[in-house]
PDB file of all heavy atoms in Angstrom:
ATOM      1  N   ASP A 207      -5.827 -14.469  29.789  1.00 95.00           N
ATOM      2  CA  ASP A 207      -5.223 -14.793  31.071  1.00 95.00           C
ATOM      3  C   ASP A 207      -3.707 -14.894  30.926  1.00 95.00           C
ATOM      4  O   ASP A 207      -3.119 -15.925  31.176  1.00 95.00           O
ATOM      5  CB  ASP A 207      -5.814 -16.121  31.577  1.00 95.00           C
ATOM      6  CG  ASP A 207      -5.397 -16.397  33.006  1.00 95.00           C
ATOM      7  OD1 ASP A 207      -5.041 -15.424  33.703  1.00 95.00           O
ATOM      8  OD2 ASP A 207      -5.429 -17.566  33.409  1.00 95.00           O
ATOM      9  N   LEU A 208      -3.079 -13.814  30.457  1.00 96.00           N
ATOM     10  CA  LEU A 208      -1.616 -13.774  30.304  1.00 96.00           C
ATOM     11  C   LEU A 208      -1.104 -12.585  31.107  1.00 96.00           C
ATOM     12  O   LEU A 208      -1.831 -11.623  31.318  1.00 96.00           O
ATOM     13  CB  LEU A 208      -1.237 -13.557  28.837  1.00 96.00           C
ATOM     14  CG  LEU A 208      -1.269 -14.727  27.859  1.00 96.00           C
ATOM     15  CD1 LEU A 208      -0.872 -14.232  26.476  1.00 96.00           C
ATOM     16  CD2 LEU A 208      -0.350 -15.864  28.293  1.00 96.00           C
ATOM     17  N   PRO A 209       0.172 -12.637  31.537  1.00 97.00           N
ATOM     18  CA  PRO A 209       0.734 -11.456  32.192  1.00 97.00           C
ATOM     19  C   PRO A 209       0.726 -10.263  31.222  1.00 97.00           C
ATOM     20  O   PRO A 209       0.858 -10.449  30.010  1.00 97.00           O
ATOM     21  CB  PRO A 209       2.182 -11.866  32.500  1.00 97.00           C
ATOM     22  CG  PRO A 209       2.223 -13.348  32.359  1.00 97.00           C
ATOM     23  CD  PRO A 209       1.136 -13.737  31.419  1.00 97.00           C
ATOM     24  N   VAL A 210       0.564  -9.067  31.793  1.00 98.00           N
ATOM     25  CA  VAL A 210       0.562  -7.844  30.984  1.00 98.00           C
ATOM     26  C   VAL A 210       1.731  -6.976  31.424  1.00 98.00           C
ATOM     27  O   VAL A 210       1.883  -6.695  32.615  1.00 98.00           O
ATOM     28  CB  VAL A 210      -0.753  -7.054  31.186  1.00 98.00           C
ATOM     29  CG1 VAL A 210      -0.745  -5.787  30.325  1.00 98.00           C
ATOM     30  CG2 VAL A 210      -1.963  -7.923  30.867  1.00 98.00           C
ATOM     31  N   ALA A 211       2.578  -6.584  30.462  1.00 98.00           N
ATOM     32  CA  ALA A 211       3.687  -5.682  30.773  1.00 98.00           C
ATOM     33  C   ALA A 211       3.507  -4.388  29.991  1.00 98.00           C
ATOM     34  O   ALA A 211       3.052  -4.405  28.855  1.00 98.00           O
ATOM     35  CB  ALA A 211       5.022  -6.333  30.417  1.00 98.00           C
ATOM     36  N   ILE A 212       3.864  -3.281  30.636  1.00 96.00           N
ATOM     37  CA  ILE A 212       3.681  -1.964  30.014  1.00 96.00           C
ATOM     38  C   ILE A 212       5.025  -1.425  29.529  1.00 96.00           C
ATOM     39  O   ILE A 212       6.015  -1.455  30.259  1.00 96.00           O
ATOM     40  CB  ILE A 212       3.067  -0.961  31.017  1.00 96.00           C
ATOM     41  CG1 ILE A 212       1.694  -1.463  31.476  1.00 96.00           C
ATOM     42  CG2 ILE A 212       2.925   0.422  30.384  1.00 96.00           C
ATOM     43  CD1 ILE A 212       1.064  -0.603  32.545  1.00 96.00           C
ATOM     44  N   GLY A 213       5.026  -0.955  28.310  1.00 93.00           N
ATOM     45  CA  GLY A 213       6.246  -0.376  27.756  1.00 93.00           C
ATOM     46  C   GLY A 213       5.962   0.904  27.010  1.00 93.00           C
ATOM     47  O   GLY A 213       4.812   1.292  26.858  1.00 93.00           O
ATOM     48  N   PHE A 214       7.006   1.564  26.532  1.00 89.00           N
ATOM     49  CA  PHE A 214       7.008   2.852  25.818  1.00 89.00           C
ATOM     50  C   PHE A 214       6.942   3.986  26.837  1.00 89.00           C
ATOM     51  O   PHE A 214       5.890   4.247  27.420  1.00 89.00           O
ATOM     52  CB  PHE A 214       5.833   3.013  24.824  1.00 89.00           C
ATOM     53  CG  PHE A 214       5.989   2.286  23.518  1.00 89.00           C
ATOM     54  CD1 PHE A 214       6.589   1.042  23.464  1.00 89.00           C
ATOM     55  CD2 PHE A 214       5.535   2.844  22.333  1.00 89.00           C
ATOM     56  CE1 PHE A 214       6.725   0.364  22.261  1.00 89.00           C
ATOM     57  CE2 PHE A 214       5.665   2.166  21.114  1.00 89.00           C
ATOM     58  CZ  PHE A 214       6.259   0.929  21.082  1.00 89.00           C
ATOM     59  N   GLY A 215       8.057   4.636  27.055  1.00 88.00           N
ATOM     60  CA  GLY A 215       8.032   5.872  27.820  1.00 88.00           C
ATOM     61  C   GLY A 215       8.405   5.777  29.286  1.00 88.00           C
ATOM     62  O   GLY A 215       8.396   6.774  29.982  1.00 88.00           O
ATOM     63  N   ILE A 216       8.753   4.575  29.786  1.00 92.00           N
ATOM     64  CA  ILE A 216       9.077   4.465  31.205  1.00 92.00           C
ATOM     65  C   ILE A 216      10.564   4.773  31.406  1.00 92.00           C
ATOM     66  O   ILE A 216      11.419   4.118  30.816  1.00 92.00           O
ATOM     67  CB  ILE A 216       8.751   3.056  31.727  1.00 92.00           C
ATOM     68  CG1 ILE A 216       7.250   2.793  31.538  1.00 92.00           C
ATOM     69  CG2 ILE A 216       9.158   2.914  33.200  1.00 92.00           C
ATOM     70  CD1 ILE A 216       6.875   1.341  31.693  1.00 92.00           C
ATOM     71  N   SER A 217      10.843   5.777  32.223  1.00 93.00           N
ATOM     72  CA  SER A 217      12.241   6.175  32.342  1.00 93.00           C
ATOM     73  C   SER A 217      12.746   6.289  33.777  1.00 93.00           C
ATOM     74  O   SER A 217      13.947   6.289  34.001  1.00 93.00           O
ATOM     75  CB  SER A 217      12.473   7.506  31.615  1.00 93.00           C
ATOM     76  OG  SER A 217      11.588   8.477  32.112  1.00 93.00           O
ATOM     77  N   THR A 218      11.869   6.395  34.757  1.00 95.00           N
ATOM     78  CA  THR A 218      12.345   6.605  36.126  1.00 95.00           C
ATOM     79  C   THR A 218      11.841   5.489  37.054  1.00 95.00           C
ATOM     80  O   THR A 218      10.812   4.871  36.782  1.00 95.00           O
ATOM     81  CB  THR A 218      11.812   7.941  36.698  1.00 95.00           C
ATOM     82  OG1 THR A 218      10.385   7.855  36.810  1.00 95.00           O
ATOM     83  CG2 THR A 218      12.176   9.117  35.815  1.00 95.00           C
ATOM     84  N   PRO A 219      12.571   5.263  38.160  1.00 96.00           N
ATOM     85  CA  PRO A 219      12.112   4.268  39.142  1.00 96.00           C
ATOM     86  C   PRO A 219      10.700   4.592  39.647  1.00 96.00           C
ATOM     87  O   PRO A 219       9.892   3.689  39.842  1.00 96.00           O
ATOM     88  CB  PRO A 219      13.140   4.389  40.271  1.00 96.00           C
ATOM     89  CG  PRO A 219      14.381   4.879  39.605  1.00 96.00           C
ATOM     90  CD  PRO A 219      13.903   5.792  38.516  1.00 96.00           C
ATOM     91  N   GLU A 220      10.395   5.867  39.803  1.00 95.00           N
ATOM     92  CA  GLU A 220       9.080   6.249  40.315  1.00 95.00           C
ATOM     93  C   GLU A 220       7.974   5.841  39.334  1.00 95.00           C
ATOM     94  O   GLU A 220       6.938   5.294  39.736  1.00 95.00           O
ATOM     95  CB  GLU A 220       9.056   7.760  40.598  1.00 95.00           C
ATOM     96  CG  GLU A 220       7.714   8.334  41.023  1.00 95.00           C
ATOM     97  CD  GLU A 220       7.031   7.566  42.172  1.00 95.00           C
ATOM     98  OE1 GLU A 220       7.719   6.919  42.984  1.00 95.00           O
ATOM     99  OE2 GLU A 220       5.771   7.613  42.232  1.00 95.00           O
ATOM    100  N   GLN A 221       8.226   6.075  38.019  1.00 94.00           N
ATOM    101  CA  GLN A 221       7.245   5.633  37.015  1.00 94.00           C
ATOM    102  C   GLN A 221       7.091   4.116  37.060  1.00 94.00           C
ATOM    103  O   GLN A 221       5.981   3.588  36.972  1.00 94.00           O
ATOM    104  CB  GLN A 221       7.695   6.043  35.604  1.00 94.00           C
ATOM    105  CG  GLN A 221       7.455   7.509  35.272  1.00 94.00           C
ATOM    106  CD  GLN A 221       8.002   7.840  33.891  1.00 94.00           C
ATOM    107  OE1 GLN A 221       8.977   7.234  33.433  1.00 94.00           O
ATOM    108  NE2 GLN A 221       7.379   8.807  33.239  1.00 94.00           N
ATOM    109  N   ALA A 222       8.213   3.422  37.193  1.00 95.00           N
ATOM    110  CA  ALA A 222       8.174   1.961  37.226  1.00 95.00           C
ATOM    111  C   ALA A 222       7.366   1.483  38.436  1.00 95.00           C
ATOM    112  O   ALA A 222       6.530   0.589  38.321  1.00 95.00           O
ATOM    113  CB  ALA A 222       9.600   1.399  37.279  1.00 95.00           C
ATOM    114  N   ARG A 223       7.602   2.115  39.569  1.00 95.00           N
ATOM    115  CA  ARG A 223       6.900   1.712  40.790  1.00 95.00           C
ATOM    116  C   ARG A 223       5.392   1.890  40.620  1.00 95.00           C
ATOM    117  O   ARG A 223       4.595   1.025  40.940  1.00 95.00           O
ATOM    118  CB  ARG A 223       7.403   2.555  41.967  1.00 95.00           C
ATOM    119  CG  ARG A 223       6.997   2.038  43.348  1.00 95.00           C
ATOM    120  CD  ARG A 223       7.320   3.036  44.453  1.00 95.00           C
ATOM    121  NE  ARG A 223       6.636   4.318  44.270  1.00 95.00           N
ATOM    122  CZ  ARG A 223       5.347   4.526  44.562  1.00 95.00           C
ATOM    123  NH1 ARG A 223       4.626   3.551  45.084  1.00 95.00           N
ATOM    124  NH2 ARG A 223       4.796   5.702  44.350  1.00 95.00           N
ATOM    125  N   ARG A 224       5.026   3.057  40.072  1.00 94.00           N
ATOM    126  CA  ARG A 224       3.603   3.368  39.905  1.00 94.00           C
ATOM    127  C   ARG A 224       2.948   2.374  38.927  1.00 94.00           C
ATOM    128  O   ARG A 224       1.884   1.837  39.198  1.00 94.00           O
ATOM    129  CB  ARG A 224       3.465   4.806  39.398  1.00 94.00           C
ATOM    130  CG  ARG A 224       2.129   5.442  39.704  1.00 94.00           C
ATOM    131  CD  ARG A 224       2.216   6.970  39.621  1.00 94.00           C
ATOM    132  NE  ARG A 224       2.758   7.453  38.356  1.00 94.00           N
ATOM    133  CZ  ARG A 224       2.103   7.419  37.205  1.00 94.00           C
ATOM    134  NH1 ARG A 224       0.893   6.919  37.144  1.00 94.00           N
ATOM    135  NH2 ARG A 224       2.668   7.884  36.111  1.00 94.00           N
ATOM    136  N   LEU A 225       3.601   2.132  37.803  1.00 94.00           N
ATOM    137  CA  LEU A 225       3.015   1.227  36.813  1.00 94.00           C
ATOM    138  C   LEU A 225       3.065  -0.220  37.278  1.00 94.00           C
ATOM    139  O   LEU A 225       2.288  -1.050  36.823  1.00 94.00           O
ATOM    140  CB  LEU A 225       3.713   1.402  35.464  1.00 94.00           C
ATOM    141  CG  LEU A 225       3.341   2.728  34.786  1.00 94.00           C
ATOM    142  CD1 LEU A 225       4.249   2.987  33.583  1.00 94.00           C
ATOM    143  CD2 LEU A 225       1.887   2.745  34.355  1.00 94.00           C
ATOM    144  N   GLY A 226       4.005  -0.517  38.207  1.00 95.00           N
ATOM    145  CA  GLY A 226       4.080  -1.843  38.777  1.00 95.00           C
ATOM    146  C   GLY A 226       2.818  -2.221  39.548  1.00 95.00           C
ATOM    147  O   GLY A 226       2.521  -3.396  39.731  1.00 95.00           O
ATOM    148  N   HIS A 227       2.053  -1.200  39.962  1.00 95.00           N
ATOM    149  CA  HIS A 227       0.770  -1.470  40.627  1.00 95.00           C
ATOM    150  C   HIS A 227      -0.316  -1.802  39.616  1.00 95.00           C
ATOM    151  O   HIS A 227      -1.299  -2.431  39.946  1.00 95.00           O
ATOM    152  CB  HIS A 227       0.320  -0.249  41.445  1.00 95.00           C
ATOM    153  CG  HIS A 227       1.158   0.002  42.649  1.00 95.00           C
ATOM    154  ND1 HIS A 227       1.058  -0.762  43.784  1.00 95.00           N
ATOM    155  CD2 HIS A 227       2.121   0.926  42.891  1.00 95.00           C
ATOM    156  CE1 HIS A 227       1.930  -0.313  44.687  1.00 95.00           C
ATOM    157  NE2 HIS A 227       2.591   0.700  44.151  1.00 95.00           N
ATOM    158  N   VAL A 228      -0.106  -1.329  38.387  1.00 95.00           N
ATOM    159  CA  VAL A 228      -1.149  -1.463  37.361  1.00 95.00           C
ATOM    160  C   VAL A 228      -0.993  -2.773  36.590  1.00 95.00           C
ATOM    161  O   VAL A 228      -1.977  -3.423  36.254  1.00 95.00           O
ATOM    162  CB  VAL A 228      -1.059  -0.262  36.372  1.00 95.00           C
ATOM    163  CG1 VAL A 228      -2.104  -0.400  35.278  1.00 95.00           C
ATOM    164  CG2 VAL A 228      -1.200   1.051  37.119  1.00 95.00           C
ATOM    165  N   ALA A 229       0.262  -3.153  36.323  1.00 97.00           N
ATOM    166  CA  ALA A 229       0.499  -4.290  35.422  1.00 97.00           C
ATOM    167  C   ALA A 229       1.403  -5.327  36.074  1.00 97.00           C
ATOM    168  O   ALA A 229       1.887  -5.135  37.185  1.00 97.00           O
ATOM    169  CB  ALA A 229       1.130  -3.793  34.135  1.00 97.00           C
ATOM    170  N   ASP A 230       1.626  -6.433  35.368  1.00 98.00           N
ATOM    171  CA  ASP A 230       2.477  -7.515  35.880  1.00 98.00           C
ATOM    172  C   ASP A 230       3.945  -7.294  35.565  1.00 98.00           C
ATOM    173  O   ASP A 230       4.801  -8.032  36.037  1.00 98.00           O
ATOM    174  CB  ASP A 230       2.047  -8.850  35.252  1.00 98.00           C
ATOM    175  CG  ASP A 230       0.567  -9.099  35.460  1.00 98.00           C
ATOM    176  OD1 ASP A 230       0.123  -9.113  36.618  1.00 98.00           O
ATOM    177  OD2 ASP A 230      -0.157  -9.232  34.453  1.00 98.00           O
TER     178      ASP A 230
END
Side-chain angles (χ1 to χ4, degrees):
Chain A
D207 189 22
L208 281 179
V210 181
I212 299 175
F214 282 37
I216 300 166
S217 55
T218 65
E220 175 50 26
Q221 282 177 330
R223 193 190 60 78
R224 203 160 54 72
L225 288 169
H227 290 285
V228 178
D230 306 303

